[in-house]
Amino acid sequence: MAEAHQAVAFQFTVTPEGIDLQLSHQALTEIYLSGLRSWKKKLIRLKNGVITGVYPASPSSWLFVVIAILATMYMRSDPSMGLIAKIQEHLPVRYQSLSAQCQTVVSAVLFSTLLWFSLIFTMRMCLKQLLSYHRWMFEQRGKMSNTTKVWVALVRIFSGRQPLLYSYQGSLPNQPVPAVKDTVKRYLESVRPLTTPDEFERMASLATQFESSLGNRLQWYLKLKALWASNYVSDWWEEYIYLRGRSPIMVNSNYYGMDFLYVTPTPIQAARAGNTLHAFLMYRRKLNREELKPLSMYIISNQMGTVIPLCAAQCERMFNTTRTPGEETDTVQHWQDSDYVAVYHRGRYFRLRMYSSSRPLSPREIESQLQRILDDPSPPSPGEEKLGALTAGDRIPWAKARKEYFSLGVNKRSLDCIEKAAFFVTLDDDKQGMMGEDPAASLDRYAKSLLHGKCYDRWFDKSFSVVIYKNGKIGLNAEHSWADAPVVAHLWEYVLATDSFQLGYNEEGHCKGEVDASLPRPQRLSWDITPECQEQISQSLAVAQALADDVDFHVFSFRDFGKGMIKKCRISPDAYIQLALQLAYYRDRGMFCLTYEASMTRLFREGRTETVRSCSNESCAFIKALEGGEGVEVCRRLLRQASEKHQNLYKHAMTGAGIDRHLFCLYVVSKYLGVDSPFLKEVLSEPWHLSTSQTPVQQVELFDMVNHPEYVSCGGGFGPVADDGYGVSYTIMGENMMNFHISCKHSCSQTSSHKYGGQIRQALRDMLQLLCPDQREPSRTDQSQTKKDL
């Protein structure tokens, strides 16, 4: 194969006349340029490390401090109060030969450097203490206290200028450990509406016993960890919730993101892939250079805003990352760099280099290379076509197969190629998206395709896999252990916007630019799959296929009204949707259930998520009143009380005062100590029949929802958490649209994604009618024209 020969820098042949050495200048040039690119990246990382390390100061501020100290000494004044003289007395022997004036200058520079580091440390500690203040979150909108106004001004002063992506990491506070008493009290309050009086008394007794005995002992160890570790939750959460799970990660853990709902920028598969892959490279370049804006929240005080930074640690493992299976626990492996992607098409795996002569390939060149793959008529080797099913099935068989069949030879080399790739790409032969005579059903098929595909045409262990469909639609499937959905959504928003608004296509629908005809062809990966390994692949595929077939999915866009109308009613949009989900569940099942809503804790260093138990006494009281025929004024008052309660629960979760992560960590400590807690055991065994999550639109500036309302994504979703429950993901798009992704299982006769979706629609309308009976939705003829045309 030509590409194999090009990969060899030199060859030699032993002959009777001696050794005949043949050098490949092209290969040597590529090796040199690859090394040059690697060293450039190392220098950039070193520079950024210095800038981030001294933040909120800047490297140039050191020179200012030195000059200021020397100038003060020139004025016959000693700003060090004798410390410079002390340093001069203890200079190493090799400096004793210098003149007294030079020794004084050296001592002054050393003192200035120590002073500079002390100032940086002081500023960072001050900023850390300032960022530990969260009372601003609990104040009424538009009624900011004087304390918070002063705090806003101080944060602006100590935050520095032009921060890089990771500049705030050292200044973020550690996540606090709540008091056992407070957590137990909040837990009992959360289960009160879900239990009978006898059940509640039993749980209250267990909780009291735990709080007065074992709880304090476990809490001591947890506080010790909080003092030592950056975050007392995140490492255990990643290991025990994600990596130690032995069931398939497909459907159960991985999640997906969708393309634009109404627009496909080009119907040419290779062209859409060319722009998409190039956009990923652009994002990775910004990520490596830390040129992305720090992830943050924004608050306003007296017409003056300030940025509240969020932890960006999850971004570090976005690319060049894979989850490696193990018999007891998986591991997440990350490599510093990778200059290629792994591509799957019609049962074959390819290695596609994304750089040439130390530069990234242009979109047009990537399109050309992918078209070569699409045109390649070679069949898959035995066992190759469905090899990816190993990553979709149970983890223990995959770990054993990996150790037995992929630890040596050609199989190990090819597997390493996939696992060390920047990310995984599937060129899918299917057409997906909202299309045909039944667009609603086509959206459901689109969601299921992104969630599990054919169960063997995705590599579910990669940090994320990009799917390019035959009609130009795209999507993304992400592994969950390394990061949460908002981090991947940030990447996906950038890719969609860059593809359509920056890179674009020519009149024929192809990528713009020229093609270097000398580019080597993509390299086909080779495999030697034994019959025994093929049997294991078939078994994993059977497990994965049964799981995929059981998933019932429904996706819909709600366009009757959006957050604009909800805000006019002076209600939080998220609280409104959460109450609608609970009302719909009550109408669907005739009961309340333990409800999970994901909240982020990235206000703290290495924070990930916390649970908002959104089914509260207040929400249940509202639903009972509404369904029981109470008066409008009573229901309206109870709805507002339930909304305020939900917002309060959400804010407590964001600020480290949640329930479930604390109890989870106490449970882990109890297992390490070898003690049993009936209270903790029962708490952690409670099923979440309704698991919900909002995916926020973070980079609103990338999309023009006014002039281009058709360029709107449908968001993303995940599989059901409980066998007899629902998984609901929702995205609030602009002012007039909300997207919902509902999942459940066919095997449960009590659940139906379509039926529950209908209940959600009706609940949203009924609640608006209750809040604003005289409101009439303004015309949205222009916004809906695209949908009508379709």
Side-chain angles (χ1 to χ4, degrees):
M1 295 171 64
E3 62 270 15
H5 290 296
Q6 291 170 354
V8 180
F10 66 91
Q11 299 175 347
F12 64 91
T13 306
V14 179
T15 65
E17 289 79 17
I19 297 177
D20 181 18
L21 182 65
Q22 300 176 349
L23 295 176
S24 171
H25 293 286
Q26 180 181 358
L28 290 174
T29 301
E30 288 296 327
I31 291 173
Y32 166 74
L33 293 174
S34 179
L36 188 64
R37 173 173 165 267
S38 178
W39 276 104
K40 284 181 179 178
K41 293 188 71 173
K42 289 179 181 179
L43 290 174
I44 290 171
R45 280 197 292 266
L46 178 62
K47 182 195 75 172
N48 290 341
V50 171
I51 295 174
T52 300
V54 301
Y55 194 84
S58 64
S60 59
S61 63
W62 172 82
L63 186 61
F64 174 81
V65 173
V66 171
I67 293 175
I69 294 298
L70 291 176
T72 306
M73 294 180 63
Y74 182 77
M75 301 295 293
R76 303 293 182 181
S77 176
D78 184 6
S80 69
M81 294 181 290
L83 287 176
I84 292 178
K86 289 288 185 182
I87 293 173
Q88 187 172 346
E89 291 175 7
H90 294 85
L91 284 176
V93 176
R94 61 177 176 271
Y95 290 101
Q96 301 298 329
S97 58
L98 298 175
S99 64
Q101 186 175 8
C102 288
Q103 291 183 29
T104 302
V105 170
V106 171
S107 301
V109 170
L110 289 174
F111 170 77
S112 302
T113 303
L114 291 173
L115 177 63
W116 182 62
F117 278 121
S118 300
L119 290 173
I120 291 173
F121 178 79
T122 302
M123 290 178 68
R124 184 169 288 185
M125 289 300 102
C126 288
L127 182 58
K128 192 170 187 175
Q129 289 300 313
L130 288 169
L131 295 177
S132 300
Y133 173 83
H134 298 128
R135 216 174 81 187
W136 59 271
M137 195 177 293
F138 295 89
E139 295 176 345
Q140 292 184 14
R141 185 179 295 272
K143 296 182 179 179
M144 189 175 289
S145 66
N146 291 329
T147 302
T148 301
K149 290 176 183 177
V150 172
W151 171 78
V152 168
L154 290 174
V155 169
R156 288 173 61 86
I157 292 171
F158 283 96
S159 288
R161 297 180 179 180
Q162 298 179 340
L164 298 176
L165 176 62
Y166 301 119
S167 291
Y168 289 110
Q169 289 300 104
S171 302
L172 290 173
N174 290 1
Q175 186 168 337
V177 182
V180 173
K181 179 179 68 175
D182 295 338
T183 300
V184 168
K185 180 181 177 182
R186 294 189 185 107
Y187 169 77
L188 291 175
E189 182 185 355
S190 73
V191 298
R192 187 64 182 262
L194 304 173
T195 56
T196 65
D198 290 341
E199 290 172 340
F200 182 79
E201 286 300 322
R202 186 179 64 85
M203 283 303 301
S205 175
L206 289 175
T208 303
Q209 183 181 0
F210 170 77
E211 181 185 339
S212 61
S213 56
L214 183 59
N216 291 326
R217 180 186 173 194
L218 302 180
Q219 180 81 343
W220 186 87
Y221 284 98
L222 208 54
K223 286 186 174 180
L224 187 64
K225 184 190 177 186
L227 289 173
W228 177 254
S230 300
N231 191 289
Y232 81 93
V233 179
S234 295
D235 57 338
W236 284 350
W237 186 254
E238 178 177 310
E239 179 179 358
Y240 293 109
I241 299 301
Y242 294 116
L243 298 180
R244 282 185 180 258
R246 301 296 80 198
S247 59
I249 61 174
M250 182 199 77
V251 174
N252 293 325
S253 179
N254 286 28
Y255 53 94
Y256 67 86
M258 281 186 170
D259 194 5
F260 293 122
L261 186 58
Y262 302 119
V263 175
T264 305
T266 177
I268 302 174
Q269 184 178 19
R272 189 75 196 280
N275 267 8
T276 301
L277 268 60
H278 187 78
F280 276 113
L281 291 184
M282 291 172 64
Y283 189 94
R284 188 175 73 161
R285 180 183 176 89
K286 285 178 174 288
L287 183 65
N288 290 339
R289 293 171 176 260
E290 299 184 33
E291 294 173 352
L292 295 171
K293 293 181 180 179
L295 307 175
S296 59
M297 300 172 63
Y298 194 75
I299 63 171
I300 298 176
S301 169
N302 290 344
Q303 308 297 325
M304 191 170 63
T306 189
V307 169
I308 308 301
L310 302 178
C311 181
Q314 294 180 50
C315 298
E316 296 173 357
R317 298 184 292 179
M318 186 174 289
F319 295 91
N320 330 317
T321 300
T322 195
R323 174 172 173 163
T324 304
E327 293 190 33
E328 291 187 4
T329 181
D330 294 354
T331 55
V332 177
Q333 288 187 286
H334 172 72
W335 292 268
Q336 283 294 333
D337 193 21
S338 179
D339 63 355
Y340 67 92
V341 296
V343 181
Y344 177 91
H345 177 245
R346 291 183 182 173
R348 295 115 8 117
Y349 291 87
F350 295 85
R351 180 181 187 270
L352 173 60
R353 288 201 61 198
M354 302 297 287
Y355 291 84
S356 176
S357 301
S358 191
R359 66 168 180 83
L361 297 184
S362 69
R364 187 70 182 89
E365 289 172 330
I366 298 174
E367 177 188 351
S368 174
Q369 292 290 75
L370 290 171
Q371 192 61 51
R372 286 177 167 180
I373 293 176
L374 291 170
D375 296 339
D376 189 330
S378 61
S381 61
E384 180 182 14
E385 180 181 10
K386 299 179 180 179
L387 176 63
L390 291 172
T391 68
D394 290 322
R395 304 304 291 174
I396 293 177
W398 171 210
K400 292 179 178 179
R402 188 178 190 275
K403 184 177 181 180
E404 185 172 354
Y405 305 116
F406 297 91
S407 57
L408 296 171
V410 64
N411 286 349
K412 184 180 187 305
R413 289 193 295 272
S414 295
L415 181 62
D416 283 348
C417 185
I418 293 175
E419 293 183 337
K420 295 179 181 180
F423 51 90
F424 191 81
V425 180
T426 295
L427 299 175
D428 203 307
D429 277 343
D430 293 337
K431 296 180 179 180
Q432 295 293 351
M434 191 171 70
M435 58 187 183
E437 297 180 357
D438 191 353
S442 66
L443 270 183
D444 299 345
R445 291 192 296 270
Y446 183 21
K448 281 179 65 66
S449 175
L450 288 174
L451 185 66
H452 54 68
K454 298 182 179 69
C455 302
Y456 58 80
D457 54 350
R458 318 279 189 259
W459 200 266
F460 295 100
D461 285 353
K462 285 299 291 181
S463 55
F464 64 89
S465 299
V466 185
V467 185
I468 317 292
Y469 292 102
K470 192 172 184 178
N471 60 342
K473 277 292 178 187
I474 61 175
L476 174 142
N477 181 287
E479 200 275 318
H480 208 325
S481 65
W482 65 275
D484 300 308
V487 175
V488 178
H490 190 275
L491 163 69
W492 191 235
E493 289 170 8
Y494 178 90
V495 169
L496 290 178
T498 303
D499 166 33
S500 298
F501 302 127
Q502 291 188 34
L503 300 176
Y505 301 87
N506 61 25
E507 295 179 356
E508 291 78 25
H510 292 282
C511 298
K512 298 175 182 179
E514 302 298 327
V515 179
D516 182 357
S518 66
L519 290 175
R521 295 181 64 86
Q523 179 184 348
R524 172 82 184 273
L525 300 186
S526 301
W527 305 92
D528 181 17
I529 310 297
T530 63
E532 293 79 11
C533 184
Q534 293 182 40
E535 176 61 26
Q536 182 56 62
I537 293 172
S538 298
Q539 292 177 13
S540 293
L541 179 59
V543 171
Q545 194 66 59
L547 180 60
D549 292 343
D550 197 22
V551 175
D552 176 18
F553 232 105
H554 182 46
V555 180
F556 68 92
S557 291
F558 185 82
R559 299 181 66 89
D560 290 16
F561 58 88
K563 74 174 182 181
M565 182 65 69
I566 298 171
K567 284 185 173 181
K568 287 180 180 179
C569 300
R570 300 192 302 277
I571 291 286
S572 160
D574 183 70
Y576 185 95
I577 293 174
Q578 283 292 323
L579 289 171
L581 294 178
Q582 292 177 53
L583 175 59
Y585 187 90
Y586 185 83
R587 289 173 173 176
D588 182 54
R589 300 288 294 274
M591 58 187 291
F592 298 108
C593 72
L594 192 60
T595 304
Y596 180 111
E597 182 187 6
S599 165
M600 66 93 175
T601 55
R602 288 162 60 207
L603 289 169
F604 306 105
R605 189 170 185 178
E606 296 183 16
R608 291 197 61 164
T609 61
E610 177 58 276
T611 303
V612 180
R613 293 177 168 238
S614 51
C615 183
S616 63
N617 290 305
E618 289 78 2
S619 67
C620 293
F622 157 67
I623 293 171
K624 286 178 180 178
L626 183 65
E627 295 301 283
E630 293 285 348
V632 173
E633 289 301 325
V634 173
C635 292
R636 187 179 297 155
R637 174 175 54 81
L638 291 174
L639 192 159
R640 293 192 181 279
Q641 288 178 0
S643 172
E644 291 173 3
K645 177 65 176 180
H646 178 268
Q647 287 182 275
N648 198 47
L649 290 173
Y650 201 98
K651 291 170 182 177
H652 274 100
M654 285 183 64
T655 53
I659 300 169
D660 291 272
R661 299 302 179 268
H662 185 205
L663 294 179
F664 162 76
C665 289
L666 291 172
Y667 180 77
V668 173
V669 174
S670 73
K671 289 301 177 183
Y672 278 128
L673 297 179
V675 295
D676 286 328
S677 168
F679 171 71
L680 291 176
K681 187 176 182 180
E682 187 154 342
V683 169
L684 271 73
S685 64
E686 294 171 342
W688 301 97
H689 288 107
L690 185 55
S691 180
T692 69
S693 177
Q694 180 191 171
T695 305
V697 179
Q698 302 166 79
Q699 302 169 89
V700 182
E701 69 278 2
L702 296 179
F703 302 93
D704 187 353
M705 298 295 292
V706 177
N707 297 318
H708 299 285
E710 68 277 13
Y711 282 91
V712 56
S713 170
C714 199
F718 53 89
V721 175
D723 291 339
D724 57 348
Y726 292 105
V728 182
S729 173
Y730 55 95
T731 306
I732 301 174
M733 304 299 300
E735 297 294 310
N736 302 297
M737 184 177 182
M738 296 179 286
N739 297 325
F740 292 85
H741 300 246
I742 306 168
S743 64
C744 60
K745 293 192 174 182
H746 289 296
S747 57
C748 178
S749 60
Q750 297 177 315
T751 57
S752 167
S753 62
H754 287 75
K755 180 183 176 184
Y756 186 51
Q759 296 284 15
I760 292 174
R761 292 186 187 92
Q762 191 59 48
L764 291 167
R765 297 186 187 108
D766 291 348
M767 288 170 55
L768 183 70
Q769 185 64 29
L770 177 67
L771 284 170
C772 309
D774 298 328
Q775 286 283 358
R776 294 292 183 269
E777 180 66 10
S779 172
R780 294 196 309 273
T781 304
D782 294 339
Q783 296 180 12
S784 61
Q785 189 60 51
T786 303
K787 186 174 181 181
K788 290 180 179 179
D789 291 342
L790 289 171

